[in-house]
Every structure is written in C-alpha cells, then in structure tokens.
Amino acid sequence: MEHGNGGFSASGLRRWRDVLARHVDSGKIPGLVALVSRGGETHVEAIGTMRHGGGAPMRRDTIFRMASTSKPLGVAAAMVLLDECRLRLDDPVDRWLPELADRQVLKRIDGPLDDTVPARRPITVRDVLTCTFGLGMDLTSMGTPIMAKIFELELTGHGGPLPDPDEWMRRLGALPLMHQPGEQWQYHIGSDLLGVLVARVTGQSYETFLRERILDPLGMKDTGFHVPAEKIDRLPPSYAPDPQTGEFIVWDEPAGGRFSEPPAFQAGGGGLVSTVDDYHAYFRMLLNHGMHGSERILSRPAVQLMTTNRLTPEQEAVRSALARNSVHVSFGQGQQGGWGFGMAVRTYRGDYAPLGQFGWDGGTGTSAYADPDAQLTGILLTQVGLSIPDPAQLIHDFWTTLYQAVED
C-alpha cells in the first residue's frame, strides 16, 4: 500500500543529511551511504570517501560488509521452505542435523561442560528460527567455560573464517546446550545454523538457494557471500578502530581480504555483502507483504511471522535486560525488546522509532529497518566497526533525524 500523501519534509531531510555529514566531517566516519524511502519517494546520500584519510568517494553502488545486518535477509530462505511445506515450525531438526540429536544441557550456565542433564525435548525448526535452540553469544556469560569453548572452536566467525559446514556442525555437536531447547533467546549462532539447515533440506548450497529464490527475483545483483574480482574496487576497506586510542586499524582489505574469495562457510548470521539499493528491494518486499511488483516472493503469513515478535514475555524480559545491561558494550544497540525470525521487532517505545519497526544492525557499522505503520525503510551503511561508539552514535542519529523528517 503506497501512501499518496508524500513522505518527508524538505527541512527534515536537510537536517538528516546535515547530521550525517557532521559525522563524516568529524573524521571518525570516513564515508557512508544512506537510503530512506517512503511510499514512492526515495532519497540516497553518499558522503565521504572509501578510505580513512581520503581516496575515491563513496558512491550509491558501494558494496558493504553487512555483518549481522545479514540476519534479516538470510532467514528468508527458510521462509520459502516453510511456505512450500518442506519444513514445518515444530519439526525436530535431527533428521537434517543429526549432530544436534540427543542433546545434553548445562545444569548451570557457568558450570563445567560435563555437568549436564538430558535435553527435555529435541531442537525444532522454530527454536532455530527464533534463536532459542540453546546455544548463542551471551554477553553476560563471557568467561564461562561454555563461552570460552565456543570461541576456542571458532564457531562464531569473530576470530577468523568459519570451517566448512560439516566440520562446523561436528564442533557444534560436541558442545552441551547452554539452555533447554526453546527456553531462552540467544544471539547469532542460530542464524548461521539456519544456513546449514537450508542447504541440507534443499540439497543445494545455502547461497545457491538464497540466490534462486530471493536475490535473483528481487534483482539483488550485488548481494552475496563474497565480492567477485570485477567488483572489488566497489568494496571499501573495513576498519575496527582501537577502542583506547581511536587509531584506524584495517580489519579487512578488499583485495586479497576475507570477502575476495567464496568462503568455506556461507554465514547467514554475518557473511553477506550488499548495497543500499539491494537491501531496499528486500525490505520493500517485506513491507509489501511478500510481493515484488507482480511477483510473490514470500507468502503474506510468512512475512507476518518473520516481522512480528515471536518471544514469550519471559524471553523478551531476558532479552531486554541483556540489552539494557550491556549498553556500555553495545553502545545502546539492540534495545527493541522483541525478536521475530532473523530480526528485532520493537515491542516498546525506547526512542524515536515506533512499535512494530523491524530489522537489525551490524557490527561493521550497518543498519537496516522497515516500519510498517509509516511504510518507511531506512538503510545506513558504513565501514567502521563497533569497536568504538562512533558508528553506533551515527546509526542512532540517522534514525532520530529520519523520524523527524516524516510528514503526514
């Protein structure tokens, strides 16, 4: 449904652009590409340069490492399988992921890895989709034996490239669960597990299936798990500045870097590269209840399931407490309350964004959300990692000024 009464105020858009430019002028953000759209109106700003200290300018078609902003897109492949009844929400995953059959669960989150009880039930597709299958990144449990083991086995991709999916599953299967299946929301690992599940159900690689069913139909030609050689000049270096000194440290160079070759593991949790226009096509499809022009990509109920809160009040309380208690680490990101499939869903009003807004942010300085009430999409892409607060503050200011520019 298009709003016929326009979208944004001219003065509001000027303030929005001025605030973005101020962040670039500060020297803390080399460059950015930002897109906002509402109804039939789309505005794109490309500000600054591809490299810290100068070089080629940012362009509308600059390709960015999406990091965790991969999650809301990566989940779409599983929704296709639900639509086609090749997966059911309450199917146990053992059939496709036998490594996760007959789980043991830690008696206490900070206990030794062999102090366990049997899982009360099998892990289901629903548990994987909602990130409640029993394992994940837990900022409140750093330093516990289980978190240390997750990092030691390189299951998150935060230390280096992930092993191939079968080896990754073997390592995952060697661990006890942190919580009983379905009990508690935990971040990240479920989004990577989803890609393995899709590949095993379809007999295709996760990327091939995602491309055939989502990326190609939406015309998302610059989205994938690596950047081919002929496009590598459109990928800026990625920075993870030193938290103490603020010095710009290159985390990943384009040529010869971790996105210059197809990866061993296609990570739906954080492995995609994309552009503002590609992500706009995806989020606009979600706002259009699964339609892209005259073509249906996902069913209306699938989109409703993805983009509304799926957590119980108890799970939501734990997730909200986790976000509130880690603002010094996350710089305030992640305080939406709810979670659907692969993305956050706002269930309380904590800032300028309204209830029902859905999407997610990425640790490389990316943000993409859609708002069904205002029929609005916003996408902000940078190449500065959240090792410092500046990209998170830029993301915050992007949304604060964008919502002020909405006119009815």
Side-chain angles (χ1 to χ4, degrees):
M1 186 174 87
E2 303 286 14
H3 278 250
N5 52 359
F8 304 101
S9 73
S11 61
L13 284 175
R14 274 198 303 277
R15 175 187 284 182
W16 170 74
R17 191 200 183 282
D18 288 347
V19 166
L20 298 182
R22 194 166 76 213
H23 279 272
V24 174
D25 292 343
S26 75
K28 298 292 182 65
I29 305 289
L32 60 87
V33 183
L35 178 148
V36 296
S37 83
R38 187 166 186 238
E41 198 181 327
T42 301
H43 300 272
V44 177
E45 296 286 351
I47 305 172
T49 54
M50 299 269 281
R51 283 189 176 271
H52 177 61
M58 281 287 180
R59 302 189 339 206
R60 181 169 180 159
D61 68 351
T62 295
I63 297 170
F64 291 87
R65 301 160 190 78
M66 300 305 288
S68 287
T69 315
S70 303
K71 290 175 168 71
L73 173 60
V75 73
M79 305 313 293
V80 171
L81 295 175
L82 289 174
D83 275 344
E84 297 181 349
C85 301
R86 294 159 78 182
L87 280 178
R88 298 175 197 89
L89 283 171
D90 294 305
D91 280 345
V93 297
D94 303 3
R95 182 177 147 197
W96 304 284
L97 306 173
E99 298 92 339
L100 297 183
D102 304 318
R103 292 293 79 200
Q104 291 289 311
V105 184
L106 290 176
K107 282 186 188 168
R108 28 182 301 183
I109 193 76
D110 57 353
L113 298 183
D114 56 358
D115 189 18
T116 60
V117 295
R120 287 194 288 266
R121 62 165 176 80
I123 294 166
T124 64
V125 173
R126 187 189 303 271
D127 299 330
V128 177
L129 278 165
T130 52
C131 285
T132 60
F133 82 98
L135 281 168
M137 299 274 293
D138 187 342
L139 291 174
T140 61
S141 302
M142 292 303 187
T144 58
I146 185 66
M147 280 306 300
K149 196 70 179 172
I150 284 171
F151 287 125
E152 180 194 321
L153 293 176
E154 297 179 341
L155 288 169
T156 66
H158 287 73
L162 294 167
D164 71 77
D166 289 347
E167 171 60 19
W168 187 83
M169 286 302 305
R170 189 189 67 74
R171 296 181 194 181
L172 195 67
L175 294 175
L177 301 181
M178 299 158 91
H179 298 282
Q180 288 284 346
E183 190 175 70
Q184 192 162 313
W185 182 86
Q186 290 184 285
Y187 188 53
H188 185 67
I189 294 178
S191 299
D192 281 345
L193 182 59
L194 195 68
V196 182
L197 179 62
V198 167
R200 290 191 178 175
V201 170
T202 61
Q204 297 176 284
S205 80
Y206 176 43
E207 181 169 26
T208 299
F209 187 73
L210 191 64
R211 189 166 300 290
E212 285 180 3
R213 305 306 299 272
I214 304 294
L215 303 180
D216 284 352
L218 288 171
M220 297 174 68
K221 61 188 183 304
D222 292 323
T223 303
F225 291 99
H226 82 289
V227 181
E230 69 273 11
K231 295 182 182 179
I232 202 81
D233 61 319
R234 290 164 53 195
L235 181 73
S238 183
Y239 298 99
D242 184 298
Q244 269 67 51
T245 66
E247 179 198 352
F248 267 74
I249 297 166
V250 175
W251 175 74
D252 186 48
E253 280 284 1
R258 60 175 77 191
F259 287 89
S260 63
E261 297 284 338
F265 189 104
Q266 296 160 1
L272 287 169
V273 293
S274 194
T275 62
V276 288
D277 285 300
D278 277 12
Y279 255 62
H280 182 213
Y282 178 70
F283 275 87
R284 191 172 49 194
M285 177 271 290
L286 296 182
L287 285 180
N288 287 332
H289 313 294
M291 294 296 289
H292 176 67
S294 59
E295 186 176 0
R296 181 159 289 289
I297 309 294
L298 294 173
S299 72
R300 180 184 284 257
V303 173
Q304 287 169 335
L305 267 176
M306 291 164 72
T307 60
T308 52
N309 178 43
R310 304 262 63 81
L311 302 184
T312 65
E314 296 77 18
Q315 290 168 337
E316 209 177 335
V318 170
R319 171 164 142 67
S320 294
L322 174 72
R324 279 196 305 275
N325 293 336
S326 63
V327 290
H328 57 300
V329 181
S330 65
F331 311 118
Q333 307 297 86
Q335 298 188 74
Q336 298 89 350
W339 192 263
F341 293 157
M343 64 190 90
V345 180
R346 279 186 188 270
T347 51
Y348 69 91
R349 182 123 199 191
D351 56 27
Y352 284 41
L355 305 189
Q357 186 206 46
F358 56 81
W360 197 229
D361 307 306
T364 46
T366 56
S367 183
Y369 290 83
D371 173 350
D373 282 346
Q375 283 293 299
L376 172 148
T377 304
I379 300 155
L380 173 67
L381 304 180
T382 79
Q383 85 274 45
V384 182
L386 291 175
S387 53
I388 53 172
D390 301 277
Q393 291 167 356
L394 165 61
I395 290 169
H396 178 274
D397 296 353
F398 169 90
W399 290 106
T400 299
T401 50
L402 174 54
Y403 273 106
Q404 292 175 64
V406 173
E407 288 286 327
D408 278 316

